């Protein structure tokens, strides 16, 4: 497992199951990334707003093989 911290732009998001989101991100360092945010739609912190398309965010991802999982999100710029 590898931890990645990078700035990216959210390209699109898709709802999965009951509380998860599949997010497509674009980063200068890593290119296009598909990441899963587990339980974010049921979260009390409401980080779901930061994963709206065209937002510029700083994100911490956990990489397992070829899969990415969202651990922490912070908004840098809202469009």
């Amino acid at each position: 497992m590898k931890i990645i911290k990078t700035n990216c732009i959210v390209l699109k998001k898709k709802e999965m199951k009951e509380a998860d989101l599949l997010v497509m991100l674009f980063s200068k360092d890593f290119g296009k990334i598909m990441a899963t945010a587990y339980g974010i739609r049921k979260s009390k912190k409401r980080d779901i707003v930061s994963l709206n398309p065209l937002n510029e965010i700083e994100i911490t991802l956990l990489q397992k093989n070829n899969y990415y999982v969202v651990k922490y999100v912070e908004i840098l710029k809202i469009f």
Side-chain angles (χ1 to χ4, degrees):
M1 288 191 285
K2 183 177 171 184
I3 297 176
I4 298 170
K5 188 172 185 178
T6 184
N7 292 347
C8 4
I9 295 175
V10 180
L11 298 177
K12 70 177 183 178
K13 67 180 180 177
K14 181 180 177 183
E15 296 179 355
M16 292 177 29
K17 299 186 182 178
E18 191 172 312
D20 306 334
L21 277 179
L22 183 65
V23 184
M24 183 182 295
L25 307 166
F26 182 77
S27 170
K28 286 183 182 179
D29 303 326
F30 301 100
K32 189 168 70 170
I33 301 170
M34 293 292 286
T36 305
Y38 292 107
I40 197 160
R41 290 181 18 215
K42 297 272 181 159
S43 173
K44 299 294 182 193
K45 293 194 301 186
R46 295 297 175 194
D47 288 334
I48 193 167
V49 175
S50 59
L51 293 176
N52 284 337
L54 297 180
N55 284 349
E56 186 178 344
I57 59 174
E58 181 179 45
I59 192 165
T60 304
L61 299 169
L62 180 63
Q63 181 182 6
K64 297 179 182 178
N65 298 330
N66 291 332
Y67 300 102
Y68 294 91
V69 178
V70 176
K71 287 298 176 189
Y72 180 74
V73 179
E74 183 179 339
I75 299 176
L76 298 176
K77 197 180 284 187
I78 299 175
F79 289 101

